[in-house]
Amino acid sequence: MEGDQETNVYTLVARKPSFDLPTACPNCLPAYIYLKLAQLPFELAFNSTFPDSDELPYFESDTYVAYNNEDGGVIEKLKKDGIVNLDSQLQSLSDYLSLKALIVSWLEEALTYEIWVGTEGISTSKIYYSDLPWVISKVLFYKQTYLAKNRLGITKENAEQREKQIYKRASEAYEALSTRLGEQKFLFEDRPSSLDAFLLSHILFIIQALPVTSVLRCKLLEHSNLVRYAEKLKSEFLEASSSSPSPPLHSFPSSFPRKSSKPKSKPKVEKTEEEKKFKKRARFFLAAQFLAVVIYVSVMGGGSSDELEYEDEDD
Amino acid sequence: MENPAEKPDPNPSTPKIESEDEREELGDINGDEEEEEEYEEEDDGKPRTREDAIADRIKAESLFRRMRATPVAVRVHDVIVKGNEKTKDHVIEAEVDVVRQATTLQELLKASKVANFNLQALDIFDSVKITLDSGPPELPGTTNVVIDVVESKSPITGQIGTFTKAEARSSSLEGSLKYKNIFGYGDIWDGSLAYGCDHSAEVGLGMYLPRFRGRPTPFTSRVYLSTQDWLKFSSYKERALGLSLGLIASKYHELAYNIAWRNLIDPSQMASRSIRRQLGHNLVSALKYTFKFDQRNSSLRPTRGYSFISTSQIGGLAPDSRTLRFLRQEIDLRYAVPLGFYPAALNFGIAGGITFPWGSGYKSRASCVPERFFLGGNISPVCSLGGPSALWGFKTRGLGPNEPRREVQDDESGDTYERDFVGGDVAVTAFADLSFDFPLKWFRDRGIHGHVFACAGNMAELSENKYRNFTAPKLLETFRSSVGAGIVVPTSLFRMELNYCHILKKQEHDRAKSGFFMTFSTSS
């Protein structure tokens, strides 16, 4: 086990690297970049056998775990639990929310569409299935493609129309972001934010992981300032060594406050102690009744059990 | 030679006939009690006079005298199969092949008994009759073996039973529907639903063939979908869709191949670190060889004899290197000594197992959690032959390496445990059990007896480089042990024990408590 109370070792568990990216999965990359932008030292571990899980990426430190399918994602959870928060003063800004909506809805939709439908999943084998045997990867690929289409609301009838809509929205989003960014280093003044993490991850993934024939990739390359922005941040934060001694941009508590974090669970009815005891007793009572009947029938009726043996039967 | 085996035993008063055994053998071959009627039928309806009957009897007596004196040479000329509409001739002839090798009448009688048993064991006939008829008159000293079978009229049967499956390592209740002999090859198809005590459920379709392409042992195949719920103990659920093929199944040896898609998930999202790392999909392609030698007089209450079982498994036998690669070996040795007074007996047992991954980087790779060993549960070590599995007094998966679960700030502690038991790569258990009858006849008649026992066991991790910290003295130091006494109640479905256990030694976090416990076991 790593770490004790004094030195917490942070680990991000993500999918495997490929396409010259530290993690090839488009859901895991934003979390990785966010931690890099915050200059938080962490270790990277890989899970390559669960391509259809929505828990990945998860961030852990000793017994603390932040799963991606809780509380709006890993990044949100890290902000909420006070581990690392790059958006502390930005959330009140008016355009923070609109940019966030643009990035996490339209751009993410476009990316999902492009990976599973637009490029027919060419890149997925390296991202998700590199460590799984062929049979399993084929079945999971079909499953994930089907789920992606469902999520995007694509059916046979509206496929074309939906595709046009998705690409149009992506184009508009790139236009708006390009105008907003200009030649700035970050989206907001001089400080990195979680939106930079999402945008950088999106751009890097499209450029490096998608094939050259991808429609979305072509649309993105039309905005050269977005490409320059990505290259600059990549060389500064991602290619630098992760154990740099530079002070973090924002202070964070050395021992994070233990906030209550209920795991994602199906809605359960809270039972009172008494009800639980009663149910337990009832179960024992029923089991005892059943046992008594069984014993009575078999011991009193049949006698002891014998193995089946071939015996000579006397006439 | 005229119908020697059809001679019924209607005249047991004849003092010269001392060969009761032989007569019973003759009667037994047919398996049911219709010899007299058949004998009369074979006579083609000729009126039987008293002289005829006496003549026949004298012939039979002389034959028996000859048989007692010397082996009576005989050769099987032909095997005639009657009554099979669906079943292929070669299926039946394959089971009775043993009679062709008989050279004397005595051997033939024995072989006929074996053949009858084999045919009954196919489980597709309502009745089986083997009779020895005289061969063609131009060939003296020959006999024809006539096999009369009555195929089951209702090919579908259902049954419910309790079993102990080797893989599940616990008892399970199973209901199945069998469809027999669809294609006439003695094939038995079954669909089954099983629910196990270890929170497992399985639905499967199986096929059994007594002979497959001329091989001597039966061939079984089974497609199954199973789930095992270990959330409470180890924070994961295991789902598997697989195909298992029984390649060799003889008295001592068993070889099976299993290919399965296994998925480990954690819906509670509370798992500890080791379990979290193992969640996901796996393809298991494994060959399992079992050698079993069981000379005990009973598997539910052994009082004499010894048994030895060794199970070896190798996983990763596929051209694809991404299947799960592991090695697993289990052995179990039992010895029962009768003590003479009351039918008391002393049972000893020792079991051990080890599992390890193989392939590149095997030393630092973690072994797969479902392949690890877990000790504890409500089965009795006396009955669970097959490897280290149970210790009296310790709850299911209640001891061994464990890790803290994900932290959660929750005030309701209730039944929730805070630690996951992740299993061990090496496990050892040993037990001693003294069983004795109670003095009251009421208990003895029902097989209820008492026992006093002691057991000990331990586990350790080896994979992920933890073998470097493994030392035998450390293993001995942390051995868990318990003693106790109880009453054993054998029922027709299972063996139940009501025990009081006292935990002598346990480690921190073990789920074990001194007190009363019940165990349920079925014969394995």
Side-chain angles (χ1 to χ4, degrees), chain A residues 196-222:
Chain A
D196 288 297
F198 282 115
L199 184 58
L200 181 60
S201 146
H202 180 94
I203 297 173
L204 285 178
F205 184 85
I206 288 187
I207 295 179
Q208 292 181 214
L210 289 184
V212 180
T213 50
S214 154
V215 170
L216 199 63
R217 191 170 186 271
C218 296
K219 288 189 191 290
L220 180 63
L221 289 175
E222 288 167 14

Side-chain angles (χ1 to χ4, degrees), chain A residues 31 34 87-89 115 137 177-178 195 216-217 228 253 276:
Chain A
Y34 182 76
D87 302 344
S88 43
Q89 283 134 37
I115 294 173
S137 52
L177 284 164
S178 177
L195 300 189
L216 199 63
R217 191 170 186 271
R228 278 195 303 274
K276 271 198 218 162

Side-chain angles (χ1 to χ4, degrees), chain B residues 74-120:
Chain B
V74 76
R75 189 175 61 84
V76 172
H77 178 253
D78 199 8
V79 174
I80 302 165
V81 178
K82 290 192 207 161
N84 56 326
E85 290 152 10
K86 247 194 316 185
T87 318
K88 305 276 186 283
D89 278 351
H90 67 82
V91 170
I92 299 177
E93 281 166 21
E95 300 297 330
V96 302
D97 210 33
V98 61
V99 306
R100 287 187 190 273
Q101 281 126 30
T103 49
T104 69
L105 191 56
Q106 287 87 339
E107 276 177 28
L108 186 57
L109 292 170
K110 284 205 184 92
S112 304
K113 223 181 359 174
V114 169
N116 190 308
F117 178 64
N118 285 350
L119 286 173
Q120 303 260 13

Side-chain angles (χ1 to χ4, degrees), chain A residues 238-259:
Chain A
L238 298 190
E239 278 156 15
S241 111
S242 59
S243 56
S244 70
S246 60
L249 292 168
H250 298 271
S251 62
F252 47 87
S254 54
S255 69
F256 41 87
R258 286 163 183 251
K259 292 232 178 108

Side-chain angles (χ1 to χ4, degrees), chain B residues 54-229:
Chain B
I54 293 172
D56 286 336
R57 200 177 84 216
I58 292 171
K59 278 187 204 153
E61 286 170 20
S62 72
L63 176 65
F64 289 142
R65 242 176 285 133
R66 276 172 64 201
M67 279 174 67
R68 256 182 295 133
T70 56
V72 179
V74 76
R75 189 175 61 84
V76 172
H77 178 253
D78 199 8
V79 174
I80 302 165
V81 178
K82 290 192 207 161
N84 56 326
E85 290 152 10
K86 247 194 316 185
T87 318
K88 305 276 186 283
D89 278 351
H90 67 82
V91 170
I92 299 177
E93 281 166 21
E95 300 297 330
V96 302
D97 210 33
V98 61
V99 306
R100 287 187 190 273
Q101 281 126 30
T103 49
T104 69
L105 191 56
Q106 287 87 339
E107 276 177 28
L108 186 57
L109 292 170
K110 284 205 184 92
S112 304
K113 223 181 359 174
V114 169
N116 190 308
F117 178 64
N118 285 350
L119 286 173
Q120 303 260 13
L122 282 181
D123 209 18
I124 52 177
F125 302 121
D126 276 345
S127 77
V128 175
K129 253 190 286 214
I130 300 186
T131 54
L132 303 177
D133 203 356
S134 57
E138 60 269 20
L139 296 173
T142 59
T143 182
N144 284 345
V145 178
V146 179
I147 302 170
D148 270 296
V149 296
V150 176
E151 289 169 342
S152 297
K153 300 226 179 5
S154 58
I156 298 185
T157 55
Q159 70 182 72
I160 293 185
T162 53
F163 304 93
T164 298
K165 284 210 173 63
E167 290 92 34
R169 281 170 240 135
S170 82
S171 322
S172 62
L173 180 69
E174 185 175 309
S176 64
L177 270 181
K178 284 192 187 171
Y179 200 160
K180 298 183 191 179
N181 212 8
I182 298 181
F183 298 110
Y185 290 98
D187 46 302
I188 299 181
W189 303 76
D190 71 281
S192 68
L193 208 64
Y195 188 75
C197 293
D198 60 349
H199 317 273
S200 62
E202 183 185 301
V203 59
L205 290 171
M207 184 203 57
Y208 169 87
L209 265 184
R211 306 246 152 202
F212 181 59
R213 294 178 183 271
R215 292 154 49 133
T217 59
F219 173 80
T220 54
S221 71
R222 186 171 192 76
V223 172
Y224 62 90
L225 178 64
S226 72
T227 66
Q228 291 194 47
D229 184 349

Side-chain angles (χ1 to χ4, degrees), chain A residues 20-312:
Chain A
D20 208 23
L21 291 167
T23 166
C25 165
N27 290 330
C28 306
L29 197 54
Y32 177 89
I33 294 176
Y34 182 76
L35 293 172
K36 282 290 180 194
L37 288 177
Q39 293 179 323
L40 180 75
F42 67 97
E43 288 179 7
L44 194 56
F46 299 112
N47 177 319
S48 52
T49 56
F50 217 168
D52 54 335
S53 163
D54 53 358
E55 291 171 2
L56 287 167
Y58 59 86
F59 177 88
E60 62 179 28
S61 165
D62 207 14
T63 56
Y64 168 81
V65 184
Y67 285 107
N68 199 38
N69 56 356
E70 293 172 345
D71 290 334
V74 175
I75 296 179
E76 286 303 315
K77 204 149 159 42
L78 291 177
K79 286 193 320 199
K80 204 171 99 172
D81 291 339
I83 312 247
V84 52
N85 188 354
L86 293 177
D87 302 344
S88 43
Q89 283 134 37
L90 295 173
Q91 273 157 246
S92 52
L93 291 179
S94 56
D95 53 353
Y96 170 85
L97 212 54
S98 50
L99 273 179
K100 182 170 178 182
L102 203 64
I103 294 175
V104 303
S105 61
W106 285 10
L107 288 191
E108 205 201 289
E109 254 188 22
L111 189 57
T112 307
Y113 178 84
E114 197 66 3
I115 294 173
W116 295 104
V117 186
T119 58
E120 289 167 0
I122 287 179
S123 318
T124 54
S125 60
K126 274 197 179 168
I127 301 170
Y128 296 107
Y129 311 119
S130 56
D131 271 2
L132 287 176
W134 180 84
V135 172
I136 297 183
S137 52
K138 266 275 162 285
V139 176
L140 289 178
F141 170 71
Y142 290 127
K143 176 190 167 193
Q144 285 182 271
T145 309
Y146 172 78
L147 288 176
K149 283 185 180 166
N150 260 8
R151 220 168 39 236
L152 296 171
I154 298 177
T155 61
K156 278 209 179 87
E157 291 86 27
N158 70 0
E160 250 188 65
Q161 179 214 355
R162 191 80 180 96
E163 181 186 277
K164 279 203 197 114
Q165 185 187 50
I166 287 175
Y167 282 143
K168 181 164 167 287
R169 283 184 180 169
S171 290
E172 288 170 5
Y174 290 147
E175 189 65 51
L177 284 164
S178 177
T179 316
R180 172 80 173 73
L181 183 67
E183 292 303 324
Q184 281 171 224
K185 187 171 177 195
F186 298 108
L187 279 171
F188 290 97
E189 303 153 25
D190 283 339
R191 42 188 293 169
S193 62
S194 65
L195 300 189
D196 288 297
F198 282 115
L199 184 58
L200 181 60
S201 146
H202 180 94
I203 297 173
L204 285 178
F205 184 85
I206 288 187
I207 295 179
Q208 292 181 214
L210 289 184
V212 180
T213 50
S214 154
V215 170
L216 199 63
R217 191 170 186 271
C218 296
K219 288 189 191 290
L220 180 63
L221 289 175
E222 288 167 14
H223 303 275
S224 51
N225 68 333
L226 288 176
V227 179
R228 278 195 303 274
Y229 153 86
E231 279 167 8
K232 252 193 291 187
L233 289 185
K234 177 181 171 184
S235 59
E236 187 178 333
F237 289 98
L238 298 190
E239 278 156 15
S241 111
S242 59
S243 56
S244 70
S246 60
L249 292 168
H250 298 271
S251 62
F252 47 87
S254 54
S255 69
F256 41 87
R258 286 163 183 251
K259 292 232 178 108
S260 80
S261 49
K262 281 225 160 64
K264 170 191 169 193
S265 56
K266 304 152 201 136
K268 317 192 268 199
V269 175
E270 290 286 333
K271 293 187 184 132
T272 63
E273 278 293 320
E274 277 178 35
E275 250 180 288
K276 271 198 218 162
K277 258 193 210 160
F278 174 76
K279 283 221 159 96
K280 208 175 171 183
R281 282 196 190 137
R283 252 179 278 152
F284 275 127
F285 177 73
L286 281 171
Q289 290 276 2
F290 175 70
L291 216 60
V293 168
V294 165
I295 292 173
Y296 178 85
V297 165
S298 48
V299 170
M300 301 298 178
S304 53
S305 61
D306 289 322
E307 284 88 8
L308 182 69
E309 279 177 15
Y310 178 69
E311 295 173 6
D312 285 345

